Amino acid sequence: LNGKLGYLGTITPLGRWPCRKYFPVTKIQGPMPGKIRALWYLCMVVIIAGFLVLAVRGEMGKASEQAEAAYQLAAEKQKEVAGKTIQIDPVKLIRELNALGKYSEAVDIARKAGERNPDHAEIQTWWGISLVKMGKRAEAIDHFILASKKDPTDEKAHLYWGLTLAMDKKFEDAISHYRIVLEINPEHSNAYAYWGTSLSALGKLKEAVSKLEESLMLNRFNSQAYEILIDVLYQQQKYERAWEMVHKARADNISLQQSFIDRLPEPVQSP
């Protein structure tokens, strides 16, 4: 039928010629034109590319979420470790090492602590003290200077600065630092004691006695002040007064070096 419709015939059970039933038949066309084919390929490429971009974005989103979760977990672990870590006071450690005579180790700890805390005056002070113990007095003074600049109220820096100068027999300079200590803390017993020691070394014995007595008024258990005072009284040949200081110290259970006592003449016994 003009090439557009076809029919299918079947034989009925009675053998009669069947009625015809018509069915539509699609006509087979030739190959797809080039322009349409190119457009079709382009659409397919765009669709596939779109799917790929969405897939990549989805994976990147997942990766970002995983990275954020890992970061949060690491931060929580770090807090947990920090909470369990025992924080060590570097100044306390340096002091303990000095007490044990481990001066080189103390200097090493002070150096590391000082690098991490460049504005920490007390670390500089104990760094200097450790160097003094090692005999490096000039280097130690550099750290006392730094400590006093960072904290003008650091009395220990000036006290040990003065002691270090006294070791080099610079007694007048040492006294100037003891004065600063007493300006910061007027009740510093050792500052008066060391001031008296420097005055004694300068031959100013009367002034030395005055400073040493002030030291003992502030702290009657200051064994250093007792020993220096006994020595000054010995130089003044005030032996009876020196023995009074010995008996007073013993009454307060203060231990004195035996050498300060042995050189004193025996006290005159009253008849």
Side-chain angles (χ1 to χ4, degrees), residues 221-261:
F221 299 103
N222 191 329
S223 60
Q224 287 182 310
Y226 266 114
E227 290 175 346
I228 299 165
L229 179 56
I230 291 168
D231 179 67
V232 173
L233 292 171
Y234 171 80
Q235 293 181 61
Q236 291 180 315
Q237 298 184 353
K238 295 181 178 180
Y239 307 126
E240 185 176 349
R241 174 69 173 148
W243 276 110
E244 286 179 10
M245 291 296 102
V246 172
H247 296 317
K248 189 174 181 180
R250 286 174 175 172
D252 286 333
N253 294 318
I254 297 170
S255 178
L256 301 174
Q257 294 184 52
Q258 193 61 35
S259 59
F260 287 94
I261 301 171

Side-chain angles (χ1 to χ4, degrees), residues 1 7-8 19 21 31-32 68 84-85 92 117 137 139 144 158 186 210-211 215 226-227 238 240 244 253-255 260:
L1 297 175
Y7 65 90
L8 176 63
C19 62
K21 294 182 181 179
M32 185 183 297
E68 180 65 22
K84 294 180 179 179
T85 303
K92 182 180 179 182
N117 305 278
R137 294 195 288 271
E139 189 177 344
F144 296 141
H158 283 285
S210 175
K211 297 303 177 187
S215 174
Y226 266 114
E227 290 175 346
K238 295 181 178 180
E240 185 176 349
E244 286 179 10
N253 294 318
I254 297 170
S255 178
F260 287 94

Side-chain angles (χ1 to χ4, degrees), residues 65-86:
E65 290 175 3
Q66 291 176 354
E68 180 65 22
Y71 174 79
Q72 292 294 336
L73 180 60
E76 291 175 5
K77 287 289 184 184
Q78 187 175 1
K79 288 180 181 178
E80 184 180 347
V81 171
K84 294 180 179 179
T85 303
I86 299 174

